[in-house]
Amino acid sequence: MKPIIQPVWDLPLRLFHWLLVGLIAFSWWSGENHEMEWHRWSGYAILFLLVFRLYWGLAGGRTARFSRFVRGPRAALAYLRGSGEADVGHNPLGGWSVVSMLAILIAMVMAGLFAVDVDGLESGPLADYVSFDAGRWASDVHSLIFNLLMGLIVLHIAAILFYLLARRRNLIGPMITGSVKAVDGAAAVPLRASVWRALTGLLIAAAITYFVSKGLHL
Amino acid sequence: MSIYRTTRRIALPLAVLTLAGAVVAAPSDPKATRQASFKKMGAAMKVLKEQLAGGSPAKPGMLAAAQTVAATARQQGALFPAGSGAGTDALPAIWTQKATFDAQMAKLVAESGKLVTVVNGGNVDAIGAQFKVVGGTCAGCHKQFRADN
Ligand code: HEM
């Protein structure tokens, strides 16, 4: 049978993913080296991506939607016992990994927005609303969550390597090209990602990020 | 139960409590004092920063904050007696390179004193510039003598 090209991830989702990888690395570097001007810009970019991703989870292509991949623990257990997958996209376990990474990243950004450095010199744009002590606490939380984030990223990469080496299944390719070759016979099922919806999401994310970066002042 | 045994039962915990209380409450505990004072300086720096970022800073608020930094800075040097590093972020280098540390503290005293003068002068650009100098002095010492960034 002729292989068909089955789309797996829409373009906005892939852009989200790889921009996030780069920006997390850059945030790490700029945070550790106290390059705070750069660090804030990088953080705003991540905030922008996160807002867009939340929106895309409601309005994006089929595999991007939370309704498609956020499943109960029973589905995750059944998947672990090897009942297989019906469709492309996140499996029930991978869905939870996505949810936890998004949640950790949101917490990371929130803490950063209120964080104050030890000199009282550098801070997130919302630190004006809290005391110095609270800002220092946010900074401690920010560092703590960073370690959790690193843990999740390590797990994420380990899972991908497990699929690659033990299951002989390459998950990296589809996250780059967006599709897999399936010898299926059946016609490819489209993802139905809409350009207009993507543009709407970009506008919403840009507006919210701008507002937050200005300390919630217009 | 005899009075004697009861007394003995109460006396030991009481003695321990009193001792612990004395240690916690001791006004001369240099670690707690210097840390609380550093926090006060940090809070004052935050006030100055917010005033300057606002565009139209209020002089009374800035003056109070600058005076807090300057006055507190003068007391910090004496709060690092030898052996007071354990369990704090104060690095051992403070005592092995005492002269450098003291020089940095003296610099903070001088620059924060200048900050008070400049705030009194009222030139916002000059205040902003001197604020950066003071902040750089905090950051410089922390990089060298304080654990964790
Ligand atoms: C996922 C995104 C982010 C990552 C991975 C990240 C990572 C880091 C790291 C590694 C540090 C150094 C911590 C340390 O030296 O102990 C740091 C510090 C800091 N970050 Fe972020 N950050 C992120 C987002 C943000 C955002 C959105 C803001 C606010 C605009 C922000 C504000 C700060 C501030 C003010 C500090 C200095 C705190 C201090 O020195 O105590 N960060 N960040």
Side-chain angles (χ1 to χ4, degrees), chain A residues 32-34 40 116 118-124 127-133 135-136 140 143, chain B residues 38-43 45-46 49-50 53 131-132 134-136 138-140 142 146 148-149:
Chain A
E32 290 296 343
N33 291 294
H34 223 71
R40 270 189 298 268
V116 176
V118 68
D119 316 312
L121 272 189
E122 300 284 357
S123 60
D128 291 13
Y129 294 101
V130 302
S131 70
F132 179 72
D133 282 351
R136 292 299 300 148
D140 289 347
S143 320
Chain B
F38 273 135
K39 281 188 194 170
K40 228 166 53 184
M41 283 203 279
M45 291 295 280
K46 187 169 176 288
K49 193 197 115 166
E50 282 160 17
F131 171 74
K132 284 218 180 85
V134 173
C138 315
H142 291 153
R146 177 175 173 268
D148 181 16
N149 94 68

Side-chain angles (χ1 to χ4, degrees), chain A residues 20 23-34 36 39-47 50 104-106 108-118 122-126 135-136 138-140 142-143 146 149-150, chain B residues 146 148-149:
Chain A
L20 187 63
L23 285 166
I24 288 176
F26 186 72
S27 278
W28 182 5
W29 175 84
S30 54
E32 290 296 343
N33 291 294
H34 223 71
M36 281 299 139
H39 189 71
R40 270 189 298 268
W41 279 107
S42 180
Y44 297 151
I46 291 175
L47 173 64
L50 287 174
I104 280 281
L105 278 165
I106 290 168
M108 183 86 204
V109 166
M110 295 289 267
L113 294 174
F114 290 95
V116 176
D117 79 344
V118 68
E122 300 284 357
S123 60
L126 304 186
R136 292 299 300 148
S139 163
D140 289 347
H142 195 63
S143 320
F146 182 69
L149 180 64
M150 288 299 113
Chain B
R146 177 175 173 268
D148 181 16
N149 94 68

Side-chain angles (χ1 to χ4, degrees), chain B:
Chain B
M1 204 185 283
S2 75
I3 289 270
Y4 172 68
R5 270 185 35 210
T6 314
T7 320
R8 220 179 42 178
R9 274 196 185 178
I10 297 171
L12 185 64
L14 217 63
V16 170
L17 271 178
T18 316
L19 214 76
V23 170
V24 170
S28 60
D29 174 9
K31 295 181 193 179
T33 310
R34 75 183 179 225
Q35 286 169 0
S37 298
F38 273 135
K39 281 188 194 170
K40 228 166 53 184
M41 283 203 279
M45 291 295 280
K46 187 169 176 288
V47 168
L48 283 163
K49 193 197 115 166
E50 282 160 17
Q51 288 290 338
L52 288 165
S56 51
K59 191 171 161 186
M62 287 208 294
L63 189 58
Q67 280 165 342
T68 300
V69 178
T72 314
R74 282 197 290 273
Q75 296 158 5
Q76 288 302 76
L79 294 170
F80 286 90
S84 69
T88 75
D89 295 333
L91 292 176
I94 292 172
W95 294 279
T96 56
Q97 300 166 40
K98 190 78 176 124
T100 315
F101 182 79
D102 288 345
Q104 300 235 29
M105 203 56 105
K107 179 155 185 265
L108 180 66
V109 172
E111 298 297 353
S112 56
K114 241 185 253 170
L115 183 63
V116 174
T117 313
V118 175
V119 171
N120 264 321
N123 178 337
V124 176
D125 288 341
I127 299 171
Q130 186 58 22
F131 171 74
K132 284 218 180 85
V133 174
V134 173
T137 314
C138 315
C141 184
H142 291 153
K143 212 173 253 166
Q144 203 176 348
F145 294 112
R146 177 175 173 268
D148 181 16
N149 94 68

